[in-house]
mmCIF file of all heavy atoms in Angstrom:
data_model
loop_
_atom_site.group_PDB
_atom_site.id
_atom_site.type_symbol
_atom_site.label_atom_id
_atom_site.label_comp_id
_atom_site.label_asym_id
_atom_site.label_seq_id
_atom_site.Cartn_x
_atom_site.Cartn_y
_atom_site.Cartn_z
ATOM 1 N N PHE A 1 89.193 100.544 82.818
ATOM 2 C CA PHE A 1 90.434 100.667 83.622
ATOM 3 C C PHE A 1 91.520 99.940 82.852
ATOM 4 O O PHE A 1 91.388 98.969 82.296
ATOM 5 C CB PHE A 1 90.214 99.927 84.954
ATOM 6 C CG PHE A 1 89.168 100.637 85.799
ATOM 7 C CD1 PHE A 1 87.866 100.048 85.910
ATOM 8 C CD2 PHE A 1 89.307 101.855 86.401
ATOM 9 C CE1 PHE A 1 86.884 100.668 86.641
ATOM 10 C CE2 PHE A 1 88.351 102.438 87.052
ATOM 11 C CZ PHE A 1 87.084 101.857 87.197
ATOM 12 N N GLU A 2 92.720 100.592 82.903
ATOM 13 C CA GLU A 2 93.857 100.114 82.149
ATOM 14 C C GLU A 2 94.850 99.279 83.008
ATOM 15 O O GLU A 2 94.982 99.535 84.250
ATOM 16 C CB GLU A 2 94.624 101.243 81.601
ATOM 17 C CG GLU A 2 93.877 102.104 80.551
ATOM 18 C CD GLU A 2 94.675 103.284 80.064
ATOM 19 O OE1 GLU A 2 95.907 103.283 80.260
ATOM 20 O OE2 GLU A 2 94.138 104.206 79.490
ATOM 21 N N ALA A 3 95.473 98.343 82.378
ATOM 22 C CA ALA A 3 96.582 97.670 83.033
ATOM 23 C C ALA A 3 97.843 98.410 82.880
ATOM 24 O O ALA A 3 98.124 98.991 81.756
ATOM 25 C CB ALA A 3 96.713 96.223 82.429
ATOM 26 N N HIS A 4 98.678 98.563 83.801
ATOM 27 C CA HIS A 4 99.993 99.128 83.740
ATOM 28 C C HIS A 4 100.918 98.243 84.462
ATOM 29 O O HIS A 4 100.850 98.194 85.695
ATOM 30 C CB HIS A 4 99.978 100.583 84.314
ATOM 31 C CG HIS A 4 101.296 101.244 84.258
ATOM 32 N ND1 HIS A 4 101.922 101.553 83.154
ATOM 33 C CD2 HIS A 4 102.097 101.548 85.204
ATOM 34 C CE1 HIS A 4 103.053 102.228 83.377
ATOM 35 N NE2 HIS A 4 103.167 102.164 84.699
ATOM 36 N N LYS A 5 101.871 97.645 83.738
ATOM 37 C CA LYS A 5 102.764 96.626 84.259
ATOM 38 C C LYS A 5 102.068 95.556 84.992
ATOM 39 O O LYS A 5 101.177 94.997 84.373
ATOM 40 C CB LYS A 5 103.857 97.352 85.252
ATOM 41 C CG LYS A 5 104.714 98.281 84.467
ATOM 42 C CD LYS A 5 105.794 98.863 85.372
ATOM 43 C CE LYS A 5 106.627 99.914 84.587
ATOM 44 N NZ LYS A 5 107.621 100.554 85.378
ATOM 45 N N GLU A 6 102.301 95.284 86.325
ATOM 46 C CA GLU A 6 101.594 94.257 87.012
ATOM 47 C C GLU A 6 100.314 94.722 87.734
ATOM 48 O O GLU A 6 99.675 93.979 88.415
ATOM 49 C CB GLU A 6 102.503 93.540 88.024
ATOM 50 C CG GLU A 6 102.904 94.418 89.240
ATOM 51 C CD GLU A 6 104.110 95.305 89.049
ATOM 52 O OE1 GLU A 6 104.525 95.598 87.885
ATOM 53 O OE2 GLU A 6 104.590 95.788 90.083
ATOM 54 N N HIS A 7 99.907 95.958 87.512
ATOM 55 C CA HIS A 7 98.770 96.584 88.105
ATOM 56 C C HIS A 7 97.626 96.910 87.243
ATOM 57 O O HIS A 7 97.836 97.012 85.977
ATOM 58 C CB HIS A 7 99.219 97.867 88.817
ATOM 59 C CG HIS A 7 100.265 97.771 89.873
ATOM 60 N ND1 HIS A 7 101.536 97.998 89.548
ATOM 61 C CD2 HIS A 7 100.131 97.427 91.182
ATOM 62 C CE1 HIS A 7 102.323 97.806 90.666
ATOM 63 N NE2 HIS A 7 101.508 97.416 91.659
ATOM 64 N N ILE A 8 96.490 97.010 87.788
ATOM 65 C CA ILE A 8 95.311 97.611 87.082
ATOM 66 C C ILE A 8 95.168 98.928 87.805
ATOM 67 O O ILE A 8 95.045 99.026 89.002
ATOM 68 C CB ILE A 8 94.108 96.719 87.224
ATOM 69 C CG1 ILE A 8 94.336 95.439 86.514
ATOM 70 C CG2 ILE A 8 92.949 97.461 86.663
ATOM 71 C CD1 ILE A 8 93.204 94.504 86.558
ATOM 72 N N LEU A 9 95.081 99.997 87.065
ATOM 73 C CA LEU A 9 94.872 101.356 87.612
ATOM 74 C C LEU A 9 93.393 101.651 87.818
ATOM 75 O O LEU A 9 92.597 101.692 86.785
ATOM 76 C CB LEU A 9 95.503 102.425 86.687
ATOM 77 C CG LEU A 9 96.995 102.297 86.466
ATOM 78 C CD1 LEU A 9 97.546 103.383 85.584
ATOM 79 C CD2 LEU A 9 97.812 102.406 87.793
ATOM 80 N N ILE A 10 92.989 101.803 89.066
ATOM 81 C CA ILE A 10 91.554 102.008 89.353
ATOM 82 C C ILE A 10 91.568 103.382 89.950
ATOM 83 O O ILE A 10 92.081 103.641 91.018
ATOM 84 C CB ILE A 10 90.982 100.925 90.291
ATOM 85 C CG1 ILE A 10 91.089 99.639 89.568
ATOM 86 C CG2 ILE A 10 89.539 101.311 90.683
ATOM 87 C CD1 ILE A 10 90.629 98.414 90.330
ATOM 88 N N ASN A 11 91.033 104.394 89.219
ATOM 89 C CA ASN A 11 91.009 105.775 89.538
ATOM 90 C C ASN A 11 92.470 106.220 89.897
ATOM 91 O O ASN A 11 92.723 106.928 90.938
ATOM 92 C CB ASN A 11 90.065 106.088 90.747
ATOM 93 C CG ASN A 11 88.653 105.764 90.296
ATOM 94 O OD1 ASN A 11 88.324 105.727 89.172
ATOM 95 N ND2 ASN A 11 87.765 105.512 91.258
ATOM 96 N N LYS A 12 93.370 105.854 89.016
ATOM 97 C CA LYS A 12 94.829 106.230 89.209
ATOM 98 C C LYS A 12 95.571 105.543 90.284
ATOM 99 O O LYS A 12 96.702 105.747 90.517
ATOM 100 C CB LYS A 12 94.968 107.659 89.183
ATOM 101 C CG LYS A 12 94.480 108.452 87.995
ATOM 102 C CD LYS A 12 94.754 109.871 88.043
ATOM 103 C CE LYS A 12 94.181 110.568 86.839
ATOM 104 N NZ LYS A 12 94.325 111.999 86.831
ATOM 105 N N ILE A 13 94.856 104.616 91.034
ATOM 106 C CA ILE A 13 95.515 103.872 92.103
ATOM 107 C C ILE A 13 95.949 102.500 91.601
ATOM 108 O O ILE A 13 95.097 101.703 91.021
ATOM 109 C CB ILE A 13 94.519 103.700 93.338
ATOM 110 C CG1 ILE A 13 94.166 105.098 93.894
ATOM 111 C CG2 ILE A 13 95.210 102.848 94.413
ATOM 112 C CD1 ILE A 13 93.103 105.086 94.885
ATOM 113 N N PRO A 14 97.202 102.155 91.673
ATOM 114 C CA PRO A 14 97.625 100.795 91.210
ATOM 115 C C PRO A 14 97.163 99.735 92.129
ATOM 116 O O PRO A 14 97.417 99.733 93.344
ATOM 117 C CB PRO A 14 99.197 100.920 91.187
ATOM 118 C CG PRO A 14 99.516 102.090 92.061
ATOM 119 C CD PRO A 14 98.361 102.898 92.136
ATOM 120 N N VAL A 15 96.497 98.769 91.561
ATOM 121 C CA VAL A 15 95.968 97.619 92.312
ATOM 122 C C VAL A 15 96.643 96.347 91.736
ATOM 123 O O VAL A 15 96.620 96.102 90.575
ATOM 124 C CB VAL A 15 94.437 97.514 92.182
ATOM 125 C CG1 VAL A 15 93.923 96.319 93.029
ATOM 126 C CG2 VAL A 15 93.769 98.776 92.680
ATOM 127 N N GLN A 16 97.242 95.609 92.587
ATOM 128 C CA GLN A 16 97.897 94.358 92.166
ATOM 129 C C GLN A 16 97.050 93.117 92.588
ATOM 130 O O GLN A 16 96.761 93.032 93.758
ATOM 131 C CB GLN A 16 99.323 94.241 92.714
ATOM 132 C CG GLN A 16 100.036 93.015 92.166
ATOM 133 C CD GLN A 16 101.480 93.054 92.583
ATOM 134 O OE1 GLN A 16 101.918 93.570 93.609
ATOM 135 N NE2 GLN A 16 102.359 92.337 91.763
ATOM 136 N N PHE A 17 96.707 92.340 91.583
ATOM 137 C CA PHE A 17 95.862 91.103 91.929
ATOM 138 C C PHE A 17 96.806 89.986 92.057
ATOM 139 O O PHE A 17 97.618 89.677 91.085
ATOM 140 C CB PHE A 17 94.808 90.848 90.845
ATOM 141 C CG PHE A 17 93.700 91.915 90.970
ATOM 142 C CD1 PHE A 17 93.775 93.058 90.247
ATOM 143 C CD2 PHE A 17 92.649 91.674 91.784
ATOM 144 C CE1 PHE A 17 92.900 94.071 90.361
ATOM 145 C CE2 PHE A 17 91.669 92.676 91.838
ATOM 146 C CZ PHE A 17 91.734 93.826 91.097
ATOM 147 N N LEU A 18 96.794 89.261 93.164
ATOM 148 C CA LEU A 18 97.727 88.192 93.387
ATOM 149 C C LEU A 18 96.922 86.846 93.739
ATOM 150 O O LEU A 18 95.934 86.896 94.461
ATOM 151 C CB LEU A 18 98.603 88.535 94.671
ATOM 152 C CG LEU A 18 99.357 89.770 94.587
ATOM 153 C CD1 LEU A 18 99.720 90.309 95.959
ATOM 154 C CD2 LEU A 18 100.600 89.590 93.693
ATOM 155 N N VAL A 19 97.322 85.750 93.108
ATOM 156 C CA VAL A 19 96.730 84.587 93.516
ATOM 157 C C VAL A 19 97.603 83.890 94.594
ATOM 158 O O VAL A 19 98.782 83.972 94.532
ATOM 159 C CB VAL A 19 96.720 83.631 92.221
ATOM 160 C CG1 VAL A 19 96.225 82.258 92.495
ATOM 161 C CG2 VAL A 19 95.940 84.246 91.056
ATOM 162 N N PRO A 20 96.909 83.470 95.684
ATOM 163 C CA PRO A 20 97.758 82.858 96.751
ATOM 164 C C PRO A 20 98.658 81.831 96.317
ATOM 165 O O PRO A 20 98.210 80.957 95.486
ATOM 166 C CB PRO A 20 96.573 82.296 97.680
ATOM 167 C CG PRO A 20 95.424 83.117 97.384
ATOM 168 C CD PRO A 20 95.458 83.429 95.909
ATOM 169 N N TYR A 21 99.831 81.911 96.636
ATOM 170 C CA TYR A 21 100.889 80.975 96.071
ATOM 171 C C TYR A 21 101.387 79.973 97.119
ATOM 172 O O TYR A 21 102.287 79.158 96.802
ATOM 173 C CB TYR A 21 102.079 81.766 95.498
ATOM 174 C CG TYR A 21 102.626 82.754 96.472
ATOM 175 C CD1 TYR A 21 103.568 82.361 97.421
ATOM 176 C CD2 TYR A 21 102.194 84.085 96.380
ATOM 177 C CE1 TYR A 21 104.009 83.398 98.284
ATOM 178 C CE2 TYR A 21 102.674 85.031 97.275
ATOM 179 C CZ TYR A 21 103.661 84.703 98.186
ATOM 180 O OH TYR A 21 104.092 85.590 99.096
ATOM 181 N N ASN A 22 100.711 79.962 98.273
ATOM 182 C CA ASN A 22 101.087 78.878 99.276
ATOM 183 C C ASN A 22 99.868 78.725 100.250
ATOM 184 O O ASN A 22 98.838 79.410 100.123
ATOM 185 C CB ASN A 22 102.332 79.259 100.055
ATOM 186 C CG ASN A 22 102.247 80.591 100.838
ATOM 187 O OD1 ASN A 22 101.222 80.955 101.381
ATOM 188 N ND2 ASN A 22 103.338 81.310 100.958
ATOM 189 N N ASP A 23 100.049 77.707 101.075
ATOM 190 C CA ASP A 23 98.882 77.366 101.943
ATOM 191 C C ASP A 23 98.505 78.542 102.918
ATOM 192 O O ASP A 23 97.315 78.679 103.230
ATOM 193 C CB ASP A 23 99.199 76.106 102.749
ATOM 194 C CG ASP A 23 99.332 74.851 101.911
ATOM 195 O OD1 ASP A 23 98.767 74.861 100.818
ATOM 196 O OD2 ASP A 23 99.933 73.819 102.440
ATOM 197 N N LEU A 24 99.488 79.210 103.460
ATOM 198 C CA LEU A 24 99.232 80.363 104.349
ATOM 199 C C LEU A 24 98.340 81.379 103.673
ATOM 200 O O LEU A 24 97.316 81.751 104.341
ATOM 201 C CB LEU A 24 100.561 80.956 104.843
ATOM 202 C CG LEU A 24 100.399 82.267 105.729
ATOM 203 C CD1 LEU A 24 99.562 81.994 106.966
ATOM 204 C CD2 LEU A 24 101.719 82.776 106.085
ATOM 205 N N LEU A 25 98.613 81.800 102.419
ATOM 206 C CA LEU A 25 97.896 82.778 101.808
ATOM 207 C C LEU A 25 96.482 82.291 101.447
ATOM 208 O O LEU A 25 95.505 83.032 101.536
ATOM 209 C CB LEU A 25 98.621 83.302 100.573
ATOM 210 C CG LEU A 25 99.881 84.079 100.879
ATOM 211 C CD1 LEU A 25 100.736 84.300 99.568
ATOM 212 C CD2 LEU A 25 99.523 85.441 101.510
ATOM 213 N N THR A 26 96.355 81.067 100.992
ATOM 214 C CA THR A 26 95.029 80.508 100.685
ATOM 215 C C THR A 26 94.165 80.412 101.978
ATOM 216 O O THR A 26 93.055 80.873 101.946
ATOM 217 C CB THR A 26 95.218 79.058 100.111
ATOM 218 O OG1 THR A 26 96.096 79.170 98.900
ATOM 219 C CG2 THR A 26 93.872 78.430 99.761
ATOM 220 N N GLU A 27 94.776 80.096 102.992
ATOM 221 C CA GLU A 27 94.008 79.999 104.323
ATOM 222 C C GLU A 27 93.632 81.394 104.811
ATOM 223 O O GLU A 27 92.562 81.581 105.219
ATOM 224 C CB GLU A 27 94.973 79.345 105.362
ATOM 225 C CG GLU A 27 94.488 79.182 106.715
ATOM 226 C CD GLU A 27 95.451 78.560 107.704
ATOM 227 O OE1 GLU A 27 96.173 77.553 107.317
ATOM 228 O OE2 GLU A 27 95.561 79.036 108.750
ATOM 229 N N ALA A 28 94.553 82.346 104.588
ATOM 230 C CA ALA A 28 94.279 83.755 104.944
ATOM 231 C C ALA A 28 93.042 84.271 104.229
ATOM 232 O O ALA A 28 92.261 85.064 104.811
ATOM 233 C CB ALA A 28 95.509 84.563 104.769
ATOM 234 N N VAL A 29 92.975 84.081 102.895
ATOM 235 C CA VAL A 29 91.891 84.549 102.148
ATOM 236 C C VAL A 29 90.622 83.899 102.633
ATOM 237 O O VAL A 29 89.599 84.573 102.730
ATOM 238 C CB VAL A 29 92.134 84.276 100.623
ATOM 239 C CG1 VAL A 29 90.889 84.675 99.868
ATOM 240 C CG2 VAL A 29 93.301 85.079 100.102
#
């Protein structure tokens, strides 16, 4: 699978991997 800009293309679908950047997102995960 290839990276394209901020995405990894998985079967032509752009997937963005994000690291939680605050307490709310960390808690949500």
Side-chain angles (χ1 to χ4, degrees):
F1 300 103
E2 296 179 16
H4 178 70
K5 297 183 182 178
E6 70 272 17
H7 299 99
I8 295 175
L9 299 177
I10 299 177
N11 298 338
K12 299 183 182 177
I13 299 169
V15 179
Q16 185 173 24
F17 289 90
L18 305 159
V19 177
Y21 50 85
N22 63 32
D23 292 341
L24 173 59
L25 291 168
T26 302
E27 184 180 314
V29 173

